[in-house]
Amino acid sequence: MFAPSAAHFSVIILRFNDPRLMVRSIWCEPMMASNIAVIVTRFPLRELEIRRRCARDPKFAEICEDYAEAWQAFQRWKGAGPAGVTKANDYRQMLEELEAEILAILDAPRPNEG
């Protein structure tokens, strides 16, 4: 599983500060932007699709928010030592399921695409 690092988040934050890309930063609220950052870090080649879908599909945005929360919990339990192994594994499985759900939505044909 890909693990976002501080370097990845720095790149995302710097990109938001790039004047050429400012339109992206107004597509979603700041809290949503940080939630999207986690899934964008996991699937960087699909960033534009993810941001567009979040902007127009509240259910998809909620799934991305769930992913961000699960990622935070996974990191917390992973760092808890031996006592957190079972919980970390549970959250890792949840992350994989959410990734599959997100990809299924992104890969589904849109109604106007036939």
Side-chain angles (χ1 to χ4, degrees), residues 4-44:
S5 68
H8 291 98
F9 288 107
S10 297
V11 170
I12 291 169
I13 291 167
L14 290 174
R15 290 181 71 189
F16 276 113
N17 293 332
D18 185 337
R20 296 171 293 158
L21 301 174
M22 287 306 287
V23 69
R24 287 181 162 181
S25 65
I26 60 172
W27 283 2
C28 50
E29 298 173 14
M31 184 58 151
M32 185 186 294
S34 65
N35 290 335
I36 293 171
V38 178
I39 194 66
V40 165
T41 301
R42 176 67 178 96
F43 300 111

Coordinates of all heavy atoms in Angstrom, one line a residue, residues 4-44:
P4 N 1.3 8.0 2.0 CA 1.6 9.4 1.8 C 2.6 9.9 2.8 O 2.5 9.5 4.0 CB 0.3 10.1 2.0 CG -0.8 9.0 1.8 CD -0.1 7.7 2.2
S5 N 3.5 10.7 2.4 CA 4.5 11.2 3.3 C 4.3 12.7 3.4 O 3.6 13.3 2.6 CB 5.9 10.9 2.9 OG 6.2 11.6 1.7
A6 N 5.0 13.4 4.3 CA 5.0 14.8 4.4 C 5.4 15.5 3.1 O 4.9 16.5 2.7 CB 5.9 15.3 5.6
A7 N 6.3 14.9 2.4 CA 6.8 15.4 1.1 C 5.7 15.5 0.1 O 5.5 16.5 -0.6 CB 7.9 14.6 0.6
H8 N 4.8 14.5 0.1 CA 3.7 14.5 -0.9 C 2.7 15.6 -0.5 O 2.2 16.3 -1.4 CB 3.0 13.1 -0.9 CG 3.8 12.1 -1.4 ND1 4.5 11.2 -0.7 CD2 4.0 11.7 -2.7 CE1 5.1 10.3 -1.5 NE2 4.9 10.6 -2.7
F9 N 2.4 15.8 0.8 CA 1.5 16.8 1.1 C 2.1 18.2 0.9 O 1.4 19.1 0.5 CB 1.1 16.7 2.6 CG 0.2 15.5 2.8 CD1 0.7 14.4 3.5 CD2 -1.1 15.6 2.4 CE1 -0.2 13.3 3.7 CE2 -1.9 14.5 2.6 CZ -1.5 13.4 3.2
S10 N 3.4 18.3 1.0 CA 4.0 19.6 0.7 C 3.8 20.0 -0.8 O 3.6 21.1 -1.1 CB 5.5 19.6 1.0 OG 5.7 19.4 2.4
V11 N 4.0 19.0 -1.6 CA 3.8 19.2 -3.1 C 2.4 19.7 -3.3 O 2.2 20.6 -4.1 CB 4.2 18.0 -3.9 CG1 3.8 18.2 -5.3 CG2 5.6 17.7 -3.8
I12 N 1.4 19.0 -2.7 CA 0.0 19.4 -2.9 C -0.2 20.8 -2.4 O -0.8 21.6 -3.1 CB -0.9 18.4 -2.2 CG1 -0.8 17.0 -3.0 CG2 -2.3 18.9 -2.2 CD1 -1.4 15.9 -2.3
I13 N 0.3 21.1 -1.3 CA 0.1 22.5 -0.7 C 0.7 23.5 -1.6 O 0.1 24.5 -1.9 CB 0.6 22.5 0.7 CG1 -0.3 21.7 1.6 CG2 0.6 24.0 1.2 CD1 0.3 21.4 3.0
L14 N 1.9 23.2 -2.1 CA 2.6 24.2 -3.0 C 1.8 24.4 -4.3 O 1.7 25.5 -4.8 CB 4.0 23.7 -3.3 CG 5.0 23.8 -2.1 CD1 6.3 23.2 -2.5 CD2 5.2 25.2 -1.7
R15 N 1.2 23.3 -4.8 CA 0.5 23.4 -6.0 C -0.7 24.3 -5.8 O -1.2 25.0 -6.7 CB 0.1 22.0 -6.5 CG 1.3 21.2 -7.0 CD 0.9 19.9 -7.5 NE 0.2 20.1 -8.8 CZ -0.4 19.1 -9.4 NH1 -0.4 17.9 -8.9 NH2 -1.0 19.3 -10.5
F16 N -1.3 24.2 -4.6 CA -2.5 25.1 -4.4 C -2.1 26.5 -4.4 O -2.9 27.4 -4.7 CB -3.1 24.7 -3.0 CG -4.1 23.6 -3.1 CD1 -3.8 22.4 -2.5 CD2 -5.3 23.7 -3.9 CE1 -4.7 21.4 -2.6 CE2 -6.2 22.7 -3.9 CZ -5.9 21.5 -3.3
N17 N -0.8 26.8 -4.0 CA -0.4 28.2 -4.0 C 0.1 28.7 -5.4 O 0.4 29.8 -5.5 CB 0.8 28.3 -3.0 CG 0.3 28.1 -1.6 OD1 -0.9 28.4 -1.3 ND2 1.1 27.7 -0.7
D18 N 0.1 27.8 -6.4 CA 0.5 28.2 -7.7 C -0.6 29.0 -8.4 O -1.7 28.4 -8.5 CB 0.8 26.9 -8.5 CG 1.4 27.2 -9.9 OD1 1.1 28.3 -10.4 OD2 2.0 26.3 -10.5
P19 N -0.4 30.2 -8.7 CA -1.5 31.1 -9.3 C -2.1 30.4 -10.5 O -3.3 30.7 -10.8 CB -0.8 32.4 -9.7 CG 0.5 32.4 -8.9 CD 0.9 30.9 -8.7
R20 N -1.4 29.6 -11.3 CA -2.0 29.0 -12.5 C -3.0 28.0 -12.1 O -3.8 27.6 -12.9 CB -0.9 28.4 -13.3 CG 0.1 29.4 -13.9 CD 1.3 28.7 -14.5 NE 2.0 28.0 -13.5 CZ 2.9 27.0 -13.6 NH1 3.0 26.5 -14.8 NH2 3.5 26.5 -12.6
L21 N -2.9 27.5 -10.9 CA -3.8 26.4 -10.5 C -4.9 26.8 -9.4 O -5.5 26.0 -8.9 CB -3.0 25.2 -10.0 CG -2.0 24.6 -10.9 CD1 -1.2 23.6 -10.2 CD2 -2.7 24.0 -12.1
M22 N -5.0 28.1 -9.2 CA -5.9 28.6 -8.2 C -7.3 28.2 -8.4 O -8.0 28.0 -7.4 CB -5.8 30.1 -8.0 CG -4.5 30.6 -7.4 SD -4.1 29.8 -5.8 CE -5.3 30.6 -4.8
V23 N -7.8 28.0 -9.6 CA -9.1 27.6 -9.8 C -9.4 26.2 -9.1 O -10.5 26.0 -8.6 CB -9.5 27.5 -11.3 CG1 -8.7 26.4 -12.0 CG2 -10.9 27.4 -11.5
R24 N -8.4 25.4 -9.0 CA -8.6 24.1 -8.3 C -8.9 24.3 -6.9 O -9.7 23.6 -6.3 CB -7.3 23.3 -8.5 CG -7.1 22.7 -9.8 CD -5.9 21.9 -9.8 NE -5.9 21.0 -10.9 CZ -4.9 20.2 -11.2 NH1 -3.9 20.1 -10.3 NH2 -4.9 19.4 -12.2
S25 N -8.2 25.2 -6.2 CA -8.4 25.4 -4.8 C -9.8 25.9 -4.4 O -10.2 25.8 -3.3 CB -7.3 26.3 -4.2 OG -7.4 27.6 -4.7
I26 N -10.5 26.5 -5.4 CA -11.8 27.0 -5.0 C -12.9 26.0 -5.4 O -14.1 26.3 -5.1 CB -12.1 28.4 -5.7 CG1 -12.1 28.2 -7.2 CG2 -11.2 29.4 -5.2 CD1 -12.6 29.5 -8.0
W27 N -12.6 24.9 -5.8 CA -13.6 23.8 -6.2 C -14.2 23.2 -4.9 O -15.2 22.7 -4.9 CB -12.9 22.7 -7.0 CG -12.8 23.1 -8.4 CD1 -13.0 24.3 -9.0 CD2 -12.2 22.3 -9.4 NE1 -12.7 24.2 -10.3 CE2 -12.2 23.0 -10.6 CE3 -11.8 21.0 -9.4 CZ2 -11.8 22.5 -11.8 CZ3 -11.3 20.4 -10.6 CH2 -11.3 21.2 -11.8
C28 N -13.5 23.3 -3.8 CA -14.0 22.7 -2.6 C -13.6 23.5 -1.4 O -12.7 24.3 -1.4 CB -13.4 21.3 -2.5 SG -11.7 21.1 -2.7
E29 N -14.3 23.2 -0.3 CA -13.9 23.9 1.0 C -12.6 23.5 1.5 O -12.1 22.4 1.1 CB -15.0 23.6 2.0 CG -16.4 24.1 1.6 CD -17.4 23.6 2.6 OE1 -17.1 23.1 3.7 OE2 -18.6 23.6 2.2
P30 N -11.9 24.3 2.3 CA -10.6 24.0 2.8 C -10.5 22.6 3.5 O -9.6 21.8 3.3 CB -10.2 25.1 3.8 CG -11.0 26.2 3.3 CD -12.3 25.7 2.7
M31 N -11.5 22.3 4.3 CA -11.5 21.0 5.0 C -11.6 19.9 4.0 O -11.0 18.9 4.1 CB -12.7 20.9 6.0 CG -12.7 19.7 6.8 SD -11.1 19.5 7.7 CE -11.6 18.6 9.1
M32 N -12.5 20.0 3.0 CA -12.6 19.0 1.9 C -11.3 18.9 1.2 O -10.9 17.8 0.8 CB -13.8 19.4 1.0 CG -14.0 18.3 0.0 SD -15.2 18.7 -1.3 CE -16.7 18.8 -0.3
A33 N -10.6 20.0 1.0 CA -9.3 19.9 0.2 C -8.3 19.1 1.0 O -7.6 18.3 0.3 CB -8.8 21.3 0.0
S34 N -8.3 19.1 2.3 CA -7.3 18.3 3.0 C -7.8 16.8 3.0 O -6.9 15.9 2.9 CB -7.2 18.8 4.5 OG -8.4 18.6 5.2
N35 N -9.1 16.6 3.0 CA -9.6 15.2 2.8 C -9.3 14.7 1.5 O -8.9 13.5 1.3 CB -11.1 15.1 3.1 CG -11.4 15.4 4.5 OD1 -10.6 15.2 5.4 ND2 -12.6 15.9 4.8
I36 N -9.4 15.5 0.4 CA -9.1 15.0 -0.9 C -7.6 14.8 -1.1 O -7.2 13.9 -1.8 CB -9.6 16.1 -1.9 CG1 -11.1 16.2 -1.9 CG2 -9.1 15.8 -3.3 CD1 -11.7 17.3 -2.7
A37 N -6.8 15.5 -0.4 CA -5.4 15.4 -0.5 C -4.9 14.0 -0.2 O -4.0 13.5 -0.9 CB -4.6 16.4 0.4
V38 N -5.5 13.3 0.7 CA -5.1 12.0 1.1 C -5.3 11.0 -0.1 O -4.5 10.3 -0.4 CB -5.8 11.5 2.4 CG1 -5.4 10.1 2.7 CG2 -5.5 12.4 3.5
I39 N -6.5 11.1 -0.7 CA -6.8 10.1 -1.8 C -6.1 10.6 -3.0 O -5.6 9.7 -3.8 CB -8.3 10.0 -2.0 CG1 -8.6 8.8 -2.9 CG2 -8.9 11.2 -2.6 CD1 -8.3 7.4 -2.3
V40 N -5.8 11.8 -3.2 CA -5.1 12.3 -4.4 C -3.6 11.8 -4.2 O -3.0 11.5 -5.2 CB -5.1 13.8 -4.5 CG1 -4.1 14.4 -5.5 CG2 -6.5 14.2 -5.0
T41 N -3.1 11.8 -3.0 CA -1.7 11.3 -2.8 C -1.7 9.8 -3.2 O -0.7 9.4 -3.7 CB -1.3 11.6 -1.4 OG1 -1.4 12.9 -1.1 CG2 0.1 11.1 -1.1
R42 N -2.7 9.1 -2.9 CA -2.8 7.7 -3.3 C -2.9 7.5 -4.8 O -2.3 6.5 -5.3 CB -4.0 7.0 -2.5 CG -4.2 5.6 -2.8 CD -3.0 4.7 -2.3 NE -3.3 3.3 -2.6 CZ -2.8 2.7 -3.7 NH1 -2.1 3.3 -4.6 NH2 -3.1 1.4 -3.9
F43 N -3.7 8.3 -5.4 CA -3.9 8.2 -6.9 C -3.6 9.5 -7.6 O -4.5 10.2 -8.1 CB -5.3 7.8 -7.2 CG -5.7 6.5 -6.6 CD1 -6.7 6.4 -5.5 CD2 -5.2 5.3 -7.0 CE1 -7.0 5.2 -5.0 CE2 -5.5 4.1 -6.5 CZ -6.5 4.0 -5.4
P44 N -2.3 9.9 -7.6 CA -2.0 11.3 -8.1 C -2.3 11.5 -9.6 O -2.6 12.6 -10.0 CB -0.4 11.4 -7.9 CG 0.0 9.9 -7.8 CD -1.1 9.2 -7.2

